[in-house]
Amino acid sequence: KEKEKEKREVKKSLFGGSDDDNNDDQFSSSVSPINKKEENKSLVDDVNLFGTNNKKSSLFLDNDGDDDPFISKEKKISSSPQVVVKSETQKKSIFSDDEDDPFTSETKSTKQSKTEKKVEENINSAKVEVKAEVKEEVKPVVQAPVVQAPVKRDYTPDADALYSAMKGFGTDESGLVGIIGNRTRAELHEIDLAFRVKYGKLLTDKIKDEVGGNFQKVLVNVIQTPALTDSIYLYESMAGIGTNETVLNEIVATRDGEEMEKIKLTYVEKYRSGLQSMVKGDTTGKYETLLLALIDGERGKGETQVDHKKVEEDAQTLYQNSSEAAFIRVLGRASNAHVTAIAGLFVSKYGKSLQEVIKKNFSGHFEDLLVILVTPRADYFADKLYKAMKGLGTDDTTLIRVITTRYGVDLEDIKKAYTQKHHKSLYEAVKSETSGDYRKILLTLIGA
C-alpha cells in the first residue's frame, strides 16, 4: 500500500491527476509487470531526469500526443533531441519580447544593454570603414598632361594684303617688303597656298606680273620652296651649251641628304627628267662620280650624332691614301657634321688641313668640289658674299642666290662668320652695294 501510495503521489506531481481509482487503474495498467525494485528505480530515474515542474509536463508528449512518461532508457535517449526542440519552441511561444526569459539568466535590461553595445560596435565599425573609403577617395590622381593641338593660323589676311598691294594701277612695293620680308619660309609657303585658294593664281606669278628686276628675283626665290629654287638653279647651271660648275658644285656640296631628296623629287616634277641624268650628260670622270655620290648618298639622313671612332678611321684613311677613290668613298656619303669633324681632327693630328692635301693632289672641278665639302658652311658662304661685293660692281646673281637660298636655313651663322672674317657686318656691306626696293628686301631678310 505504501508503494502504491507513493506511485500515486508521483503520478499526481507529474500529471496533476486525482487520487481516484480510475486514474490509479490507468496508471497501473500503463506499467508493465516487472520486478517491483526495478519499477521503483525506473520511476525515480524518470523523476530525476525530467523534474517535477508541472509547466514542463508537456515535454513528455510523444509524436501522437499521448502521455508516456515511463519509456525505456533507449527510447528516451533517441527522443531527447525532440524534447529539446519542443522545449525551445515552447519557450518562444510562452515568453514575449517584453518579458524576462526564466530559462536564461538574462533579464530584459541585460539584453537591452547587450543590444545597445552591439549596435554601438557596428556603428564604430561602419565609421572606420567610411573613413578608410574617404581616405582612399582623396588620394591624388595623377593625370596625363593634356596636349592641345596647335591652333592653325589663318594666312588669308596676308594673302589679301599682298593682293591689295598689287591691285590696280601701280604696286605698293613697301607693302610687299613688309609682309614677305618678315615671314619665315614656312609661313610664306602657307601664304602662297592661301593666295591660290582665294585668287586662283600663284603668288609668284602675280609678283612677276607686277614687279621686275632683282627685286622680283628676291621675292620669287623666298616665296618658292627651297627645293624648287635649288632645282631651278641646278637646271639653269646645266641647260644649254656649257655648264656652270660653280653653281652646280655649290648646291650639290652644301645640301644634306634630306634636302637633296626633296630637290630630286621637285626636279622630276618640274622638268620631267632626273637630276642624275642631267649630271651624267654634262660631266665626266671622277668629277661626275663624286657629284653622283653626293646626290644619291645618305649624307646625314637618320644621323643623330657624330661617330667619333668612325671619324678617326676616316681621317687616317685620307692621310694614308690620297687617291681620288678614297676621297670619294669617305666624303661622298658623309654628313656635313662628320666631314667637319674629320677636318678638325686632321689638323690637330697631322698638322695640316684637308684643303692643303686636296689642293696638292687634285685639280679642276673635282678639286673645287672637294674644297667646298671640307670647308665649314658659314665660312664658305661668307667668302662667296664678300667676293660678290668686292671691288667695282656687284655680282647680284651670287648675292641673290646665296641670301635667298640660305634665308631660314643658316643665314644667321653666315652673318656672324662674315663679321669675324671681314670685320664688317653683312648688313652694312649689302647696304653699301645695293639700292631701291632691291636693297630694302635684302636688308629686311638679313636683319640688322
Side-chain angles (χ1 to χ4, degrees), residues 6-41:
E6 183 180 355
K7 286 166 62 176
R8 284 193 297 271
E9 288 177 354
V10 169
K11 178 181 176 183
K12 182 179 180 180
S13 63
L14 292 172
F15 302 102
S18 63
D19 293 337
D20 56 23
D21 294 336
N22 294 332
N23 291 337
D24 187 36
D25 293 339
Q26 182 181 1
F27 180 78
S28 300
S29 63
S30 66
V31 181
S32 53
I34 60 175
N35 187 278
K36 298 289 185 179
K37 243 180 202 182
E38 291 177 357
E39 182 180 15
N40 292 339
K41 188 171 186 267

Side-chain angles (χ1 to χ4, degrees), residues 104 110 221 239 364 444:
T104 63
T110 306
N221 277 6
T444 305

Side-chain angles (χ1 to χ4, degrees), residues 321-344:
N321 185 359
S322 58
S323 66
E324 295 171 339
F327 273 81
I328 292 173
R329 184 174 65 253
V330 172
L331 302 181
R333 298 181 181 275
S335 67
N336 178 52
H338 189 83
V339 174
T340 302
I342 293 173

Side-chain angles (χ1 to χ4, degrees), residues 343 347 353-360 367 371 374-376:
V347 172
S353 67
L354 276 175
Q355 288 93 331
E356 293 174 346
V357 175
I358 291 170
K359 290 178 179 180
K360 179 181 178 181
E367 174 196 337
V371 169
V374 300
T375 303

